[in-house]
Amino acid sequence: MDLTNEQLLDMYVTMNKIRTFENRVAELFADGKIPGFVHLYVGEEAVATGVCASLTDQDYITSTHRGHGHLIAKGGDIKLMMAELFGKKTGYCKGKGGSMHIADLNLGIMGANGIVGGGPPLASGAALACQYLGNDGVAVCFFGDGASNQGTTHEAMNLATCWKLPVVFVNENNMYGISSCTLNSMCVPNIADRAAAYDMPGVVVDGNDVIAVCEAAAEGISRARQGKGPSLIECKTYRHRGHFEGDPCAYREDSELEEWKEKDPIPRLEQKLMEIELLTDAKINEIKSGLQKDMADAEQFAEESPFPDVSELTEDVYT
Amino acid sequence: MPNMNFAQALNDAHKVEMERDANIYVAGEDVGVYGGIFGVTAGLLDQFGDKRVKDTPITESAIVGTAVGAATAGLRPVIELMFVDFIGVALDQLYNQAAKMKYMFGGKAKIPMVLRMTCGAGIGAAAQHSQCLEAMFMHLPGLKVVMPSTPNDAKGLLIEAIRDDNPVVFLEHKMLYALEGEVAEGDFTIPFGQADIKREGQDVTIVATANMVHTALSAAEKLAADGISAEVVDPRTLYPLDEEGIIQSVKKTHRLVIVHEEVKFAGSGAEIAAIVAEKAFDYLDAPILRVAAPFCPVPFSQPLEQAFIPSEEEIIDAVKKVME
């Protein structure tokens, strides 16, 4: 797959945008500005970025509780995201959802999801709508290694294959469901091996190599668009931070984290792009300072926005 | 008005709506070739084809979950889960996804879907194929809960449910499928939240749902012979609940007996009793009584099952008690 310079740069910017957002969220959470649970995507940016590069606004994604990266990669507005994390009225969900429930149906983002394994049936359903309406859309289901062991995932994959639905199941295998390591939670080496059970293609990719992810996803998405049915892509990756902010990570070795930091997807792409002279130090600085400014704007927007009025408490339950 | 049974009336509602709106699809276990194990979806596959009438594997989470996803993305699914008892294996997709999505997303989602399930005891189907679970669904904000008792209500309420933009749980008591009655022709709806007075009376209000409406009506007939005039009120939808309609009846009769087939403890009757106690206590001349199933699973053995289901005699006893 030949990616254009523009596509490569876009992916570099998107990954940095996610990283910058997540790092700032970590600080704001530590400062007590963001309540509740936040699950950060730091280290996994290549997956959402590589996959969403082949999607349009009429395509759907379902996300997970670690959803900020998916939202940003699918075109989500960081101002509205940040305001939502602050619980403000101007946020994506008017402050009613928070980090685990951000959605933007205009962009095909069917929501982050607080339930592990909640998303796969929804993705198959969105794919069913695309197939039914004949609108050329596809659905991508992001799900983690934890969700891969849920019954809903099996049901969604089986039905998707029976009905040849245009859906791509993108597994983000970051090796841990909180403390539960995949070494103890599954008995095959790869989640993608399970694709054989559905007679769908299953591939394993280096989830920290955005170009590899992009190529695999483009193939699965194109297959889905052509009406050839679902596929499964397992992206091997790692979360640099704890399961949630505040997780001391006593269940894993520091050395493991250090090893994975060596494979950080952002410096890897940066180095590649510098080698082909698409990036220079000056350009990198320009991108990063631009993102810092966007982030400061988003934060200011969130800070200055009002909280929802208590009168809104019982609104939006029914249509 | 033509005469048809409850199952045929539901079937007719499907046809009326599917002819009107091409974005409605039906899915579930045995809904296509078989026509539904109680015949509700009979003939739909032939008439509308397999794009719109989908037999599924035995996969309740995926049946419900794909409906939620498809509804969010522009379709209007009408899905059947066969027995309400099976909701346990699919509950997350209903109560954490369908019911909450609109609220969690700040009002931006629309989930127009109908989840049809059969409920109730009476055919010896035992503990996992006979329950009534309406209170559980009533307890979940975001869902609407419909429980018809007559063929005409079944048709009008199902059409209303299909046109509603919220997830609707549609509960069909299996002992009602063969019940015959006059059903309005063609396209008509019955609004949610409007109780129906199935029999007018002066002395006592009996609020009853689904099959219990008919048990209450025969009890009322016998009570009339004893000089007691009972009013039988069928809420028809448990959420939204016609609080005002029930209260108006209680203001007239000053006595209330609530009858349902689900277990009494924390059942739908508890909510109705609490609402009347909160809002119309001063109108009551006697304590509110409930006639409902005992707190145990539905048994298999016929004498036990019959003892489990609230009877005409129990209703008569309760009415006589509040009349004392």
mmCIF file with all atom_site columns, all heavy atoms in Angstrom, chain A residues 146-162:
data_model
loop_
_atom_site.group_PDB
_atom_site.id
_atom_site.type_symbol
_atom_site.label_atom_id
_atom_site.label_alt_id
_atom_site.label_comp_id
_atom_site.label_asym_id
_atom_site.label_entity_id
_atom_site.label_seq_id
_atom_site.pdbx_PDB_ins_code
_atom_site.Cartn_x
_atom_site.Cartn_y
_atom_site.Cartn_z
_atom_site.occupancy
_atom_site.B_iso_or_equiv
_atom_site.pdbx_formal_charge
_atom_site.auth_seq_id
_atom_site.auth_comp_id
_atom_site.auth_asym_id
_atom_site.auth_atom_id
_atom_site.pdbx_PDB_model_num
ATOM 1   N N   . GLY A 1 146 ? -9.364  -8.121  26.720 1.00 0.00 ? 146 GLY A N   1
ATOM 2   C CA  . GLY A 1 146 ? -10.357 -8.548  27.708 1.00 0.00 ? 146 GLY A CA  1
ATOM 3   C C   . GLY A 1 146 ? -11.683 -8.880  27.042 1.00 0.00 ? 146 GLY A C   1
ATOM 4   O O   . GLY A 1 146 ? -12.274 -9.932  27.292 1.00 0.00 ? 146 GLY A O   1
ATOM 5   N N   . ALA A 1 147 ? -12.125 -8.002  26.160 1.00 0.00 ? 147 ALA A N   1
ATOM 6   C CA  . ALA A 1 147 ? -13.413 -8.205  25.478 1.00 0.00 ? 147 ALA A CA  1
ATOM 7   C C   . ALA A 1 147 ? -13.394 -9.424  24.576 1.00 0.00 ? 147 ALA A C   1
ATOM 8   O O   . ALA A 1 147 ? -14.435 -10.002 24.279 1.00 0.00 ? 147 ALA A O   1
ATOM 9   C CB  . ALA A 1 147 ? -13.778 -6.968  24.660 1.00 0.00 ? 147 ALA A CB  1
ATOM 10  N N   . SER A 1 148 ? -12.193 -9.830  24.161 1.00 0.00 ? 148 SER A N   1
ATOM 11  C CA  . SER A 1 148 ? -12.131 -10.976 23.247 1.00 0.00 ? 148 SER A CA  1
ATOM 12  C C   . SER A 1 148 ? -12.631 -12.246 23.931 1.00 0.00 ? 148 SER A C   1
ATOM 13  O O   . SER A 1 148 ? -12.994 -13.210 23.270 1.00 0.00 ? 148 SER A O   1
ATOM 14  C CB  . SER A 1 148 ? -10.705 -11.182 22.729 1.00 0.00 ? 148 SER A CB  1
ATOM 15  O OG  . SER A 1 148 ? -9.888  -11.700 23.753 1.00 0.00 ? 148 SER A OG  1
ATOM 16  N N   . ASN A 1 149 ? -12.649 -12.258 25.256 1.00 0.00 ? 149 ASN A N   1
ATOM 17  C CA  . ASN A 1 149 ? -13.133 -13.442 25.980 1.00 0.00 ? 149 ASN A CA  1
ATOM 18  C C   . ASN A 1 149 ? -14.604 -13.351 26.367 1.00 0.00 ? 149 ASN A C   1
ATOM 19  O O   . ASN A 1 149 ? -15.123 -14.255 27.024 1.00 0.00 ? 149 ASN A O   1
ATOM 20  C CB  . ASN A 1 149 ? -12.292 -13.664 27.242 1.00 0.00 ? 149 ASN A CB  1
ATOM 21  C CG  . ASN A 1 149 ? -10.850 -13.951 26.893 1.00 0.00 ? 149 ASN A CG  1
ATOM 22  O OD1 . ASN A 1 149 ? -10.581 -14.636 25.909 1.00 0.00 ? 149 ASN A OD1 1
ATOM 23  N ND2 . ASN A 1 149 ? -9.924  -13.426 27.662 1.00 0.00 ? 149 ASN A ND2 1
ATOM 24  N N   . GLN A 1 150 ? -15.255 -12.269 25.990 1.00 0.00 ? 150 GLN A N   1
ATOM 25  C CA  . GLN A 1 150 ? -16.670 -12.118 26.313 1.00 0.00 ? 150 GLN A CA  1
ATOM 26  C C   . GLN A 1 150 ? -17.539 -12.828 25.276 1.00 0.00 ? 150 GLN A C   1
ATOM 27  O O   . GLN A 1 150 ? -17.231 -12.841 24.076 1.00 0.00 ? 150 GLN A O   1
ATOM 28  C CB  . GLN A 1 150 ? -17.061 -10.626 26.309 1.00 0.00 ? 150 GLN A CB  1
ATOM 29  C CG  . GLN A 1 150 ? -16.546 -9.853  27.502 1.00 0.00 ? 150 GLN A CG  1
ATOM 30  C CD  . GLN A 1 150 ? -17.436 -10.024 28.732 1.00 0.00 ? 150 GLN A CD  1
ATOM 31  O OE1 . GLN A 1 150 ? -17.966 -11.100 28.990 1.00 0.00 ? 150 GLN A OE1 1
ATOM 32  N NE2 . GLN A 1 150 ? -17.599 -8.965  29.490 1.00 0.00 ? 150 GLN A NE2 1
ATOM 33  N N   . GLY A 1 151 ? -18.653 -13.369 25.741 1.00 0.00 ? 151 GLY A N   1
ATOM 34  C CA  . GLY A 1 151 ? -19.581 -14.061 24.847 1.00 0.00 ? 151 GLY A CA  1
ATOM 35  C C   . GLY A 1 151 ? -20.155 -13.161 23.773 1.00 0.00 ? 151 GLY A C   1
ATOM 36  O O   . GLY A 1 151 ? -20.404 -13.599 22.648 1.00 0.00 ? 151 GLY A O   1
ATOM 37  N N   . THR A 1 152 ? -20.357 -11.892 24.105 1.00 0.00 ? 152 THR A N   1
ATOM 38  C CA  . THR A 1 152 ? -20.922 -10.963 23.122 1.00 0.00 ? 152 THR A CA  1
ATOM 39  C C   . THR A 1 152 ? -20.026 -10.839 21.892 1.00 0.00 ? 152 THR A C   1
ATOM 40  O O   . THR A 1 152 ? -20.514 -10.660 20.778 1.00 0.00 ? 152 THR A O   1
ATOM 41  C CB  . THR A 1 152 ? -21.090 -9.563  23.738 1.00 0.00 ? 152 THR A CB  1
ATOM 42  O OG1 . THR A 1 152 ? -19.891 -9.240  24.442 1.00 0.00 ? 152 THR A OG1 1
ATOM 43  C CG2 . THR A 1 152 ? -22.272 -9.515  24.685 1.00 0.00 ? 152 THR A CG2 1
ATOM 44  N N   . THR A 1 153 ? -18.722 -10.928 22.121 1.00 0.00 ? 153 THR A N   1
ATOM 45  C CA  . THR A 1 153 ? -17.776 -10.812 21.001 1.00 0.00 ? 153 THR A CA  1
ATOM 46  C C   . THR A 1 153 ? -17.952 -12.009 20.065 1.00 0.00 ? 153 THR A C   1
ATOM 47  O O   . THR A 1 153 ? -18.022 -11.871 18.841 1.00 0.00 ? 153 THR A O   1
ATOM 48  C CB  . THR A 1 153 ? -16.343 -10.728 21.530 1.00 0.00 ? 153 THR A CB  1
ATOM 49  O OG1 . THR A 1 153 ? -16.264 -9.615  22.425 1.00 0.00 ? 153 THR A OG1 1
ATOM 50  C CG2 . THR A 1 153 ? -15.341 -10.543 20.418 1.00 0.00 ? 153 THR A CG2 1
ATOM 51  N N   . HIS A 1 154 ? -18.045 -13.178 20.653 1.00 0.00 ? 154 HIS A N   1
ATOM 52  C CA  . HIS A 1 154 ? -18.271 -14.387 19.851 1.00 0.00 ? 154 HIS A CA  1
ATOM 53  C C   . HIS A 1 154 ? -19.586 -14.268 19.075 1.00 0.00 ? 154 HIS A C   1
ATOM 54  O O   . HIS A 1 154 ? -19.640 -14.554 17.875 1.00 0.00 ? 154 HIS A O   1
ATOM 55  C CB  . HIS A 1 154 ? -18.300 -15.621 20.757 1.00 0.00 ? 154 HIS A CB  1
ATOM 56  C CG  . HIS A 1 154 ? -18.930 -16.816 20.123 1.00 0.00 ? 154 HIS A CG  1
ATOM 57  N ND1 . HIS A 1 154 ? -18.371 -17.457 19.036 1.00 0.00 ? 154 HIS A ND1 1
ATOM 58  C CD2 . HIS A 1 154 ? -20.097 -17.457 20.386 1.00 0.00 ? 154 HIS A CD2 1
ATOM 59  C CE1 . HIS A 1 154 ? -19.173 -18.458 18.676 1.00 0.00 ? 154 HIS A CE1 1
ATOM 60  N NE2 . HIS A 1 154 ? -20.223 -18.475 19.470 1.00 0.00 ? 154 HIS A NE2 1
ATOM 61  N N   . GLU A 1 155 ? -20.631 -13.854 19.763 1.00 0.00 ? 155 GLU A N   1
ATOM 62  C CA  . GLU A 1 155 ? -21.945 -13.773 19.108 1.00 0.00 ? 155 GLU A CA  1
ATOM 63  C C   . GLU A 1 155 ? -21.915 -12.771 17.953 1.00 0.00 ? 155 GLU A C   1
ATOM 64  O O   . GLU A 1 155 ? -22.476 -13.022 16.884 1.00 0.00 ? 155 GLU A O   1
ATOM 65  C CB  . GLU A 1 155 ? -23.026 -13.371 20.122 1.00 0.00 ? 155 GLU A CB  1
ATOM 66  C CG  . GLU A 1 155 ? -23.319 -14.465 21.139 1.00 0.00 ? 155 GLU A CG  1
ATOM 67  C CD  . GLU A 1 155 ? -24.577 -14.200 21.948 1.00 0.00 ? 155 GLU A CD  1
ATOM 68  O OE1 . GLU A 1 155 ? -25.497 -13.532 21.449 1.00 0.00 ? 155 GLU A OE1 1
ATOM 69  O OE2 . GLU A 1 155 ? -24.650 -14.677 23.098 1.00 0.00 ? 155 GLU A OE2 1
ATOM 70  N N   . ALA A 1 156 ? -21.271 -11.639 18.202 1.00 0.00 ? 156 ALA A N   1
ATOM 71  C CA  . ALA A 1 156 ? -21.223 -10.605 17.164 1.00 0.00 ? 156 ALA A CA  1
ATOM 72  C C   . ALA A 1 156 ? -20.429 -11.083 15.958 1.00 0.00 ? 156 ALA A C   1
ATOM 73  O O   . ALA A 1 156 ? -20.805 -10.824 14.807 1.00 0.00 ? 156 ALA A O   1
ATOM 74  C CB  . ALA A 1 156 ? -20.618 -9.324  17.727 1.00 0.00 ? 156 ALA A CB  1
ATOM 75  N N   . MET A 1 157 ? -19.332 -11.787 16.207 1.00 0.00 ? 157 MET A N   1
ATOM 76  C CA  . MET A 1 157 ? -18.502 -12.267 15.086 1.00 0.00 ? 157 MET A CA  1
ATOM 77  C C   . MET A 1 157 ? -19.217 -13.363 14.311 1.00 0.00 ? 157 MET A C   1
ATOM 78  O O   . MET A 1 157 ? -19.185 -13.407 13.076 1.00 0.00 ? 157 MET A O   1
ATOM 79  C CB  . MET A 1 157 ? -17.170 -12.800 15.616 1.00 0.00 ? 157 MET A CB  1
ATOM 80  C CG  . MET A 1 157 ? -16.250 -11.698 16.081 1.00 0.00 ? 157 MET A CG  1
ATOM 81  S SD  . MET A 1 157 ? -14.651 -12.388 16.549 1.00 0.00 ? 157 MET A SD  1
ATOM 82  C CE  . MET A 1 157 ? -13.803 -10.867 16.993 1.00 0.00 ? 157 MET A CE  1
ATOM 83  N N   . ASN A 1 158 ? -19.868 -14.252 15.046 1.00 0.00 ? 158 ASN A N   1
ATOM 84  C CA  . ASN A 1 158 ? -20.572 -15.337 14.370 1.00 0.00 ? 158 ASN A CA  1
ATOM 85  C C   . ASN A 1 158 ? -21.705 -14.808 13.494 1.00 0.00 ? 158 ASN A C   1
ATOM 86  O O   . ASN A 1 158 ? -21.839 -15.188 12.328 1.00 0.00 ? 158 ASN A O   1
ATOM 87  C CB  . ASN A 1 158 ? -21.112 -16.327 15.411 1.00 0.00 ? 158 ASN A CB  1
ATOM 88  C CG  . ASN A 1 158 ? -21.781 -17.515 14.755 1.00 0.00 ? 158 ASN A CG  1
ATOM 89  O OD1 . ASN A 1 158 ? -21.168 -18.210 13.955 1.00 0.00 ? 158 ASN A OD1 1
ATOM 90  N ND2 . ASN A 1 158 ? -23.046 -17.728 15.052 1.00 0.00 ? 158 ASN A ND2 1
ATOM 91  N N   . LEU A 1 159 ? -22.497 -13.904 14.054 1.00 0.00 ? 159 LEU A N   1
ATOM 92  C CA  . LEU A 1 159 ? -23.620 -13.370 13.279 1.00 0.00 ? 159 LEU A CA  1
ATOM 93  C C   . LEU A 1 159 ? -23.108 -12.544 12.092 1.00 0.00 ? 159 LEU A C   1
ATOM 94  O O   . LEU A 1 159 ? -23.666 -12.604 10.994 1.00 0.00 ? 159 LEU A O   1
ATOM 95  C CB  . LEU A 1 159 ? -24.528 -12.523 14.180 1.00 0.00 ? 159 LEU A CB  1
ATOM 96  C CG  . LEU A 1 159 ? -25.903 -12.205 13.604 1.00 0.00 ? 159 LEU A CG  1
ATOM 97  C CD1 . LEU A 1 159 ? -26.722 -13.479 13.384 1.00 0.00 ? 159 LEU A CD1 1
ATOM 98  C CD2 . LEU A 1 159 ? -26.682 -11.254 14.514 1.00 0.00 ? 159 LEU A CD2 1
ATOM 99  N N   . ALA A 1 160 ? -22.028 -11.801 12.328 1.00 0.00 ? 160 ALA A N   1
ATOM 100 C CA  . ALA A 1 160 ? -21.451 -10.989 11.249 1.00 0.00 ? 160 ALA A CA  1
ATOM 101 C C   . ALA A 1 160 ? -21.016 -11.873 10.084 1.00 0.00 ? 160 ALA A C   1
ATOM 102 O O   . ALA A 1 160 ? -21.174 -11.513 8.920  1.00 0.00 ? 160 ALA A O   1
ATOM 103 C CB  . ALA A 1 160 ? -20.278 -10.174 11.769 1.00 0.00 ? 160 ALA A CB  1
ATOM 104 N N   . THR A 1 161 ? -20.478 -13.040 10.405 1.00 0.00 ? 161 THR A N   1
ATOM 105 C CA  . THR A 1 161 ? -20.050 -13.935 9.324  1.00 0.00 ? 161 THR A CA  1
ATOM 106 C C   . THR A 1 161 ? -21.251 -14.579 8.653  1.00 0.00 ? 161 THR A C   1
ATOM 107 O O   . THR A 1 161 ? -21.313 -14.680 7.430  1.00 0.00 ? 161 THR A O   1
ATOM 108 C CB  . THR A 1 161 ? -19.117 -15.043 9.847  1.00 0.00 ? 161 THR A CB  1
ATOM 109 O OG1 . THR A 1 161 ? -18.409 -14.568 10.967 1.00 0.00 ? 161 THR A OG1 1
ATOM 110 C CG2 . THR A 1 161 ? -18.141 -15.474 8.795  1.00 0.00 ? 161 THR A CG2 1
ATOM 111 N N   . CYS A 1 162 ? -22.228 -15.032 9.472  1.00 0.00 ? 162 CYS A N   1
ATOM 112 C CA  . CYS A 1 162 ? -23.434 -15.652 8.891  1.00 0.00 ? 162 CYS A CA  1
ATOM 113 C C   . CYS A 1 162 ? -24.122 -14.699 7.917  1.00 0.00 ? 162 CYS A C   1
ATOM 114 O O   . CYS A 1 162 ? -24.637 -15.120 6.895  1.00 0.00 ? 162 CYS A O   1
ATOM 115 C CB  . CYS A 1 162 ? -24.433 -16.016 9.990  1.00 0.00 ? 162 CYS A CB  1
ATOM 116 S SG  . CYS A 1 162 ? -23.948 -17.393 11.007 1.00 0.00 ? 162 CYS A SG  1
#
